Amino acid sequence: QVQLVESGGGLVRPGGSLRLSCATSGYISSINVMAMGWYRQAPGKERELVATISRTGATNYSDSVKGRFTTSRENTKNTVYLQMNSLKPEDTAVYYCNLKYYHYTSGTVDAWGQGTLVTVSA
């Protein structure tokens, strides 16, 4: 099965930066990947979209992170990154990596990482 491994979470001061990485494993090729992205969830809140990047490289960001976060992708390894700058306390959440891909028997499939905690505090 396809698995996603995340890294980079931790404690950071307001105004600081973190870079999250998400690497995939499994028997899929880059041509099957439709999009990758990041979601986050704070305690007591629903999971929300942070950023996505399509197979073509097109990116989308939520209004709350525009201008501060940047997502990028290495298509060869199906790896996605989230560069987070100018972090705010309200960015504190568990961040999840998402991979959307096509499987010939199942159609579009979503795979999720285990989540990594980002805490922004002085």
Side-chain angles (χ1 to χ4, degrees):
Q1 294 291 325
V2 175
Q3 294 184 332
L4 283 68
V5 180
E6 303 169 347
S7 62
L11 175 65
V12 65
R13 295 180 174 86
S17 299
L18 282 176
R19 190 189 191 202
L20 306 183
S21 300
C22 176
T24 64
S25 63
Y27 298 101
I28 63 169
S29 63
S30 61
I31 64 173
N32 299 116
V33 176
M34 299 174 64
M36 298 185 71
W38 294 92
Y39 292 72
R40 68 185 182 186
Q41 186 172 26
K45 296 183 178 180
E46 63 184 279
R47 188 174 299 185
E48 65 174 347
L49 176 68
V50 176
T52 61
I53 181 167
S54 72
R55 186 170 178 266
T56 65
T59 57
N60 283 288
Y61 300 92
S62 67
D63 290 338
S64 62
V65 306
K66 284 182 180 178
R68 299 188 298 119
F69 291 9
T70 303
T71 187
S72 59
R73 181 187 174 194
E74 295 180 10
N75 289 334
T76 302
K77 298 294 184 180
N78 293 328
T79 301
V80 66
Y81 303 93
L82 184 66
Q83 178 66 46
M84 304 184 294
N85 299 323
S86 302
L87 284 162
K88 305 175 181 179
E90 51 263 43
D91 295 318
T92 297
V94 176
Y95 285 71
Y96 297 90
C97 179
N98 169 258
L99 183 154
K100 187 184 298 292
Y101 66 97
Y102 175 82
H103 184 72
Y104 74 100
T105 59
S106 303
T108 301
V109 179
D110 280 293
W112 294 91
Q114 75 286 351
T116 183
L117 177 63
V118 173
T119 303
V120 184
S121 176

